[in-house]
Amino acid sequence: MEDELRQGPNAGRTLPAEREQYDDPETGASVTRLTSDPEADSRHLYFTEPGWDDDGRRLLFRSDRGGTRQLYSVALESGELTQLTDLPDDISGVTRIATEPTALFWCDERLVALDLETLAVTLLYELPDGYTGSIAAGTADGQRAVTALSEALDLERDPDDRERWIADRMDAGPHSKVISIPLSGGEPMVHVENDRWLNHVNASPTRPELVTYAEEGLWEDVDRIRALDLETDETWVVRPTDADEAVGHEYWLADGETIGYHGWRGGRDDPDAFFGHVRYDGTDRREWPAPDLYTHFHSNTRNLVVGDGTYRGAPFDLLWSWDDEDGGYRTPRKLVAHGWSGDDDVHPHSRLSPNGDRVVFDSSRAREGTDSDVYLVDVPDDLEELPTFDGL
C-alpha cells in the first residue's frame, strides 16, 4: 500500500455562492437551490449517510466541477462553497462519521479518511486485486471504518435490464467479506466471510459495536437487512423477507437502535407498498402503507418521515407525521416537487436534517439531461400548511 496520498493545491479553496431561492408553486415551501454551475454535476451524500457538518452549518456534497469528482461543502447561511479534496482520482462512496469531523470515501481503489477541519487525508486500506468495495461506515466511537468487499465478476450488463444483471451477480455468489480497519492505523479485521454478494455497510450512530450490511440481490430473493456485532462477530437477519415480499433501502434512525426501510408485497407490477421501523435485534417491528413504489425513506425519529417519491404519480417529497393519539401516521403531506422522471434521471435521495427542519435532495429539474444540483427545502412548523397527498 502506498505510504501517503497528497492533496492538491485546490483543497481548501473557496468558491462564490451559487444559490437560488424560490417557493414551490404547489406547496408554498421555501426551496434553496444550493448549486447551479451549468458545467457541473453536484450531488449530496447518499441518503443513508450523515452529510451535515460543523454543527449543521455546512452540508457536504460531491461535484465534478474541477474535472474529477471531489468533495465540497456549502455554508448554509452564506452559500459559499469550499473544496475539501483535490485528489488525483474521482472519489466515491462518501460518508461522514456521525460523531467525528471525519469523512470516509474511496479514491479509486483506496479507502481514505479526511479530517474535515484540517483537510488532512489518511490512506486506510487498498482493495485487493479482483474485489470491489462498498460504501464504508465509521463506528460511533470514531475508531474504525467498516466496509464490504465483493469479488468482481465479468458479467455481461445490459443497460436496459439492470435487474437481470443484479440477478446474475446474486446467483453467481461472489466471494465477499465485511471488514473493519482501525482509523489510527493497523491491519484490517475480517468479521463476515462467505460466497454471497455483500454490500453497503451502515454504522449505528450511537452503538460502536453495531453495523448493518446488505445481502445484495433482487430484494424479493434475499434476506437483505443484516446486522453485525463487531465485538463478537455475531451476525443475524434483522427483518426477514417473507414469501411474496421485498424489503430494502435500510438506514439507522438517530437513536442508533432503530432501523428504517421500505418494501412491498405482491409483484413489482402491482405492489402493496409499505415502509417500516424495526429494532436492530428484529423486535418491535412496525409497518405502514406507502404510495406505489416509493424509492427511499428517511427519518431521525418516528415522529417525522420523508419519502422521496416515484415518477409513477408522485414526483415530489412527502412528509408523514406521527399522531400519538391514534398511534399511527397522519395523511402524508406534499413538501416539494423534485421532478424525478424515472431510473434514467437523478434520484432525489432525500434526507432530513438532524433536527428535522429541512430536507436535502438532488434534482435535474432545472437542467437539460441528467446532471444534478443540490436542493434544500424548509419544513414548515405547521405541516397543515402543506397540501395532503391522497394517493394511498
Side-chain angles (χ1 to χ4, degrees):
M1 188 166 69
E2 296 181 11
D3 292 332
E4 58 183 332
L5 187 67
R6 294 184 182 275
Q7 290 265 47
N10 286 331
R13 69 169 177 155
T14 58
L15 301 170
E18 300 176 0
R19 66 182 181 182
E20 304 169 354
Q21 293 182 295
Y22 65 93
D23 291 338
D24 185 275
E26 181 173 354
T27 71
S30 177
V31 187
T32 303
R33 181 185 179 190
L34 294 171
T35 63
S36 57
D37 183 335
E39 304 300 320
D41 179 71
S42 300
R43 308 189 186 208
H44 75 96
L45 308 194
Y46 192 58
F47 83 102
T48 59
E49 311 308 318
W52 270 266
D53 187 36
D54 191 20
D55 292 327
R57 290 184 287 266
R58 305 188 71 88
L59 183 70
L60 304 180
F61 69 98
R62 303 152 293 158
S63 182
D64 62 2
R65 63 192 58 224
T68 57
R69 187 168 292 277
Q70 302 291 334
L71 185 63
Y72 293 76
S73 71
V74 54
L76 299 183
E77 183 174 341
S78 68
E80 182 182 71
L81 310 178
T82 301
Q83 184 170 345
L84 303 179
T85 63
D86 183 12
L87 297 173
D89 297 294
D90 286 346
I91 67 167
S92 62
V94 183
T95 188
R96 180 189 180 280
I97 299 178
T99 55
E100 301 287 336
T102 304
L104 302 172
F105 53 82
W106 292 95
C107 181
D108 193 18
E109 296 184 344
R110 295 164 289 186
L111 184 62
V112 178
L114 171 72
D115 186 315
L116 292 167
E117 295 175 344
T118 68
L119 303 190
V121 292
T122 302
L123 180 57
L124 299 174
Y125 180 77
E126 191 162 352
L127 279 174
D129 291 342
Y131 283 82
T132 60
S134 77
I135 294 179
T139 55
D141 58 5
Q143 298 298 305
R144 304 184 75 84
V146 190
T147 189
L149 311 181
S150 187
E151 181 183 3
L153 301 176
D154 186 16
L155 297 174
E156 184 177 352
R157 187 165 186 170
D158 182 348
D160 296 323
D161 193 357
R162 180 173 176 269
E163 290 179 8
R164 181 70 265 159
W165 179 84
I166 291 174
D168 289 346
R169 183 166 171 77
M170 174 186 69
D171 292 341
H175 183 253
S176 301
K177 305 176 185 179
V178 178
I179 67 170
S180 68
I181 306 106
L183 268 68
S184 59
E187 293 300 312
M189 180 180 294
V190 178
H191 299 277
V192 179
E193 184 171 11
N194 59 39
D195 290 329
R196 296 175 178 268
W197 180 11
L198 306 183
N199 202 0
H200 196 166
V201 177
N202 293 321
S204 163
T206 63
R207 299 276 298 266
E209 78 280 15
L210 289 179
V211 300
T212 60
Y213 64 97
E215 181 181 335
E216 195 66 86
L218 297 175
W219 288 6
E220 53 265 55
D221 293 334
V222 294
D223 287 324
R224 174 186 166 97
I225 307 174
R226 295 169 179 260
L228 167 66
D229 186 319
L230 296 171
E231 294 179 353
T232 66
D233 290 344
E234 180 186 5
T235 183
W236 61 93
V237 175
V238 176
R239 200 293 188 184
T241 304
D242 296 332
D244 205 28
E245 284 188 334
V247 177
H249 282 156
E250 63 281 357
Y251 64 92
W252 288 95
L253 275 67
D255 64 5
E257 297 196 347
T258 306
I259 296 165
Y261 57 91
H262 77 99
W264 62 88
R265 298 178 179 89
R268 290 172 178 259
D269 294 332
D270 187 23
D272 181 11
F274 61 89
F275 68 97
H277 297 153
V278 63
R279 195 168 185 268
Y280 70 90
D281 60 4
T283 62
D284 195 23
R285 187 172 103 189
R286 307 183 189 191
E287 294 172 349
W288 304 273
D292 174 15
L293 289 184
Y294 250 61
T295 55
H296 308 90
F297 282 79
H298 180 259
S299 49
N300 297 312
T301 70
R302 183 181 63 185
N303 292 334
L304 186 66
V305 178
V306 64
D308 72 0
T310 168
Y311 62 96
R312 290 168 60 170
F316 39 73
D317 282 343
L318 295 183
L319 291 174
W320 282 259
S321 59
W322 183 257
D323 187 333
D324 279 325
E325 184 174 334
D326 290 342
Y329 283 99
R330 300 176 178 91
T331 301
R333 302 272 174 170
K334 298 179 183 179
L335 177 62
V336 63
H338 47 61
W340 183 52
S341 61
D343 284 341
D344 293 333
D345 193 8
V346 175
H347 281 254
H349 290 145
S350 303
R351 181 179 173 111
L352 283 157
S353 62
N355 63 5
D357 65 344
R358 291 171 169 176
V359 170
V360 62
F361 64 95
D362 294 330
S363 178
S364 59
R365 66 189 307 278
R367 303 289 199 114
E368 293 183 4
T370 57
D371 282 345
S372 176
D373 285 310
V374 181
Y375 291 76
L376 202 61
V377 55
D378 294 342
V379 175
D381 292 334
D382 183 1
L383 295 188
E384 293 187 2
E385 296 176 1
L386 300 171
T388 58
F389 174 74
D390 299 316
L392 290 179

